[in-house]
Amino acid sequence: VVDAGDDAAVLRLTPGHDLVATTDAFVENVHFRREWLDPTGIGARLAAANLSDLAAMAATPRWALLSMGIRGDHPAASLIDVQRGLAAALEPHGAVITGGNLTRVEGGEWFDLTLLGEAAPGEAWTRGGARPGDWIAITGHPGRAGAGCRVAMALGDAARAAPFASLIDAWLRPTPRIDLARALAGRGCVTGAIDVSDGFGADLGRLCAASRVGARVEDALWPRDPALAAGAVALRVEADALRFGPSDDYELLLAVNPARRAEAEALAGERGVPLCFVGRFTESPARVWIDGNGAETPLPDGGWDHFGAR
Amino acid sequence: VVDAGDDAAVLRLTPGHDLVATTDAFVENVHFRREWLDPTGIGARLAAANLSDLAAMAATPRWALLSMGIRGDHPAASLIDVQRGLAAALEPHGAVITGGNLTRVEGGEWFDLTLLGEAAPGEAWTRGGARPGDWIAITGHPGRAGAGCRVAMALGDAARAAPFASLIDAWLRPTPRIDLARALAGRGCVTGAIDVSDGFGADLGRLCAASRVGARVEDALWPRDPALAAGAVALRVEADALRFGPSDDYELLLAVNPARRAEAEALAGERGVPLCFVGRFTESPARVWIDGNGAETPLPDGGWDHFGAR
């Protein structure tokens, strides 16, 4: 109704819909390094992180407000590239930049995005709906983003070589799962959801805590991932540390109604989105990992220190 | 519908209302200095800046998302105080914190707020509606905030003395004009609006440009301000430099329908809000200042450099 350039934006939701709002920041030398990400890539990565939060709510993205903290010597062209990358990454999902703020900083630069979307009443997913017996489903290959970051920091330019390409891609160019979430929304397939922004172990823990359930995750069901295995060898860590540990994958971790698993699989398949059913939610609150030999251990919950101590 | 603690907040607007969204950041050593503002004050000041943007749109504040960039050694208690100050400043205007983000930074800390409000369709004010002949009205005492900042930087602790109290207050503790804006909304009193966040000269220029009008502002109509005069003496600058120059006053600059001036005055009077009619918008695009002797000069548009060169 009123776009960028006034004191605030005036926006009209689809009648009868709820507003869904999230905010996420991207900080120089904390979340990104300029030698690994150009300005367009920064914008796209910022979009992905926020889009992923809306995907985890099954919301439709609509509008973005971009707030930037920029050093005085920053060339204007590069700022325009950040906005261009952001706009291009939002556009396929139906969202546009509608306002923002620019302020000067002296240290590390930062980009803070607020993404606004909408959902029909009652259709938004939460973390609190998983029930014992529901399937634990995960899109993509959890752990790759964290492995990509660690490989890049450890190997430098050598991490640009072929065996690590899918890890580096997962780290720098994650794919938000908006399309799948929108396809699954309102069908009763999904009972609870979270996006994996801290790591499979940590985010499964959050979903379980909010839903008051436990989890049994089985190695035999887990997607094989040669790229992650190569990363583990290069980093001299166990593959489990990468699989369950800190990783901002922006994949969806879903609780799926067993009666509708086939429907969820078909919708993912039609969209070319890998969707793996790696275990079940349980009434017992424990989170259990069943390894390749059938042995049961507590599922790592994935703080850096935990793995650092191994 | 779904509060902080999930991937995103789910919020329900008043049926049939539009969403009004703004974002504003507050950066350590750029916008605030810890020796002048405690954590509660930082939260309140951040609220005021964003509330003022919604006041300029005549919107009703509803929800806030707080994104923080914080150094690793920052005590948690002080962060809670920032949020407490923010919540306390939002509450009288009907808004609550409903989500946010926390990230680590290495340099200056920052707080970025997105404030969401609502307005009935067509009721939101814009910068583009002022018409020739409308009154130029201003709340409060423009220039005081900028003068307070300059006095604090120039005099240090001496600026805490009595003659400067109202300047320091305007700088650190501005009063957003939500109540007056809501009272004036939907009555046809106000044809255009902007909040003074950069200074009267600069923001009047923006309102004029968006509305394609000019302005004649008269010294004889301007509110007398002994505090600003005292600041000008202490800083050895002309009072006009403070009056028109850079100043984040968060006052409202309104275009008022002449047929409804008395109604606007009465509504401001009932609320104890100073509202001064300082001139008229004109068809000619020039912005003119008529001094105490009736002499006409171009109205300063208020960049720092402009006044630095005097």
Side-chain angles (χ1 to χ4, degrees), chain B residues 52-287:
Chain B
S52 181
D53 276 328
L54 291 198
M57 306 296 287
T60 303
R62 297 289 308 271
W63 306 288
L65 295 141
L66 174 62
S67 189
M68 299 183 275
I70 302 295
R71 282 185 297 274
D73 60 356
H74 194 121
S78 131
L79 283 190
I80 292 168
D81 282 345
V82 171
Q83 292 184 57
R84 200 168 280 157
L86 174 61
L90 293 174
E91 191 272 331
H93 304 291
V96 293
I97 303 173
T98 189
N101 191 62
L102 177 62
T103 186
R104 183 173 59 83
V105 296
E106 276 154 16
E109 299 193 330
W110 49 266
F111 300 89
D112 192 26
L113 194 76
T114 297
L115 188 63
L116 305 172
E118 61 184 21
E123 210 172 275
W125 298 335
T126 71
R127 298 178 179 182
R131 304 161 309 181
D134 286 345
W135 282 101
I136 301 167
I138 181 84
T139 61
H141 298 279
R144 280 192 182 179
C149 177
R150 290 175 70 176
V151 165
M153 297 305 112
L155 307 187
D157 276 341
R160 298 183 198 267
F164 308 118
S166 60
L167 303 182
I168 298 294
D169 252 19
W171 173 45
L172 299 179
R173 288 172 285 276
T175 306
R177 301 302 187 183
I178 291 281
D179 295 344
L180 177 62
R182 291 302 307 147
L184 287 167
R187 289 174 175 264
C189 290
V190 174
T191 58
I194 190 170
D195 79 318
V196 178
S197 54
D198 287 329
F200 179 86
D203 289 315
L204 178 64
R206 291 193 183 111
L207 184 55
C208 285
S211 295
R212 296 177 194 184
V213 293
R216 290 172 65 85
V217 179
E218 294 186 46
D219 180 80
L221 300 174
W222 196 275
R224 298 300 106 185
D225 190 351
L228 203 69
V233 170
L235 292 166
R236 301 176 193 206
V237 297
E238 289 178 43
D240 281 4
L242 300 179
R243 177 149 67 168
F244 300 130
S247 188
D248 42 1
D249 292 304
Y250 302 114
E251 297 292 354
L252 287 179
L253 174 49
L254 303 174
V256 174
N257 178 350
R260 300 200 175 256
R261 172 178 162 159
E263 192 178 337
E265 276 185 301
L267 289 166
E270 285 164 19
R271 282 158 188 80
V273 177
L275 182 69
C276 232
F277 295 80
V278 297
R280 298 265 201 168
F281 290 100
T282 58
E283 197 156 343
S284 154
R287 296 193 302 283

Side-chain angles (χ1 to χ4, degrees), chain A residues 13-248:
Chain A
L13 292 174
T14 304
H17 278 52
D18 287 339
L19 173 66
V20 186
T22 186
T23 183
D24 204 8
F26 207 42
V27 178
E28 191 178 24
N29 298 328
V30 176
H31 299 106
F32 69 93
R33 291 161 192 273
R34 294 203 180 268
E35 63 272 30
W36 283 95
L37 213 49
D38 66 13
T40 315
I42 291 170
R45 179 65 176 61
L46 182 64
N50 282 275
L51 286 165
S52 181
D53 277 328
L54 292 198
M57 307 297 287
T60 303
R62 298 288 308 269
W63 306 288
L65 295 140
L66 174 62
S67 189
M68 298 183 275
I70 302 296
R71 281 186 297 274
D73 60 357
H74 194 119
S78 132
L79 283 190
I80 291 167
D81 283 344
V82 170
Q83 292 184 59
R84 201 169 280 157
L86 173 62
L90 293 174
E91 190 272 329
H93 304 290
V96 294
I97 303 173
T98 189
N101 191 60
L102 178 63
T103 185
R104 182 173 59 82
V105 297
E106 275 154 19
E109 298 193 331
W110 51 267
F111 300 89
D112 192 25
L113 194 75
T114 298
L115 188 63
L116 305 173
E118 61 184 20
E123 212 173 272
W125 299 334
T126 70
R127 299 179 179 181
R131 304 161 310 179
D134 286 344
W135 282 101
I136 301 168
I138 180 85
T139 62
H141 299 279
R144 279 192 183 179
C149 176
R150 289 175 70 176
V151 166
M153 297 304 112
L155 306 188
D157 276 341
R160 300 185 196 265
F164 308 117
S166 60
L167 304 182
I168 299 293
D169 252 17
W171 172 46
L172 298 179
R173 288 171 286 277
T175 306
R177 302 301 187 183
I178 291 282
D179 295 344
L180 178 61
R182 292 301 308 145
L184 288 166
R187 288 171 176 266
C189 290
V190 174
T191 57
I194 189 170
D195 79 319
V196 178
S197 54
D198 288 328
F200 180 86
D203 289 315
L204 178 64
R206 290 193 183 113
L207 184 55
C208 285
S211 295
R212 297 178 193 184
V213 293
R216 288 172 66 84
V217 179
E218 294 187 47
D219 179 79
L221 301 173
W222 196 275
R224 298 302 103 184
D225 190 351
L228 203 68
V233 170
L235 292 166
R236 303 176 193 207
V237 297
E238 291 178 42
D240 282 5
L242 300 179
R243 178 149 63 168
F244 300 129
S247 188
D248 41 1

Side-chain angles (χ1 to χ4, degrees), chain B residues 13-78:
Chain B
L13 292 173
T14 304
H17 279 51
D18 288 338
L19 174 66
V20 185
T22 186
T23 184
D24 204 8
F26 206 43
V27 179
E28 189 178 26
N29 298 329
V30 176
H31 298 108
F32 69 92
R33 290 162 192 271
R34 293 198 181 272
E35 64 269 32
W36 284 95
L37 212 49
D38 65 14
T40 315
I42 290 170
R45 180 64 176 61
L46 182 64
N50 281 277
L51 286 165
S52 181
D53 276 328
L54 291 198
M57 306 296 287
T60 303
R62 297 289 308 271
W63 306 288
L65 295 141
L66 174 62
S67 189
M68 299 183 275
I70 302 295
R71 282 185 297 274
D73 60 356
H74 194 121
S78 131

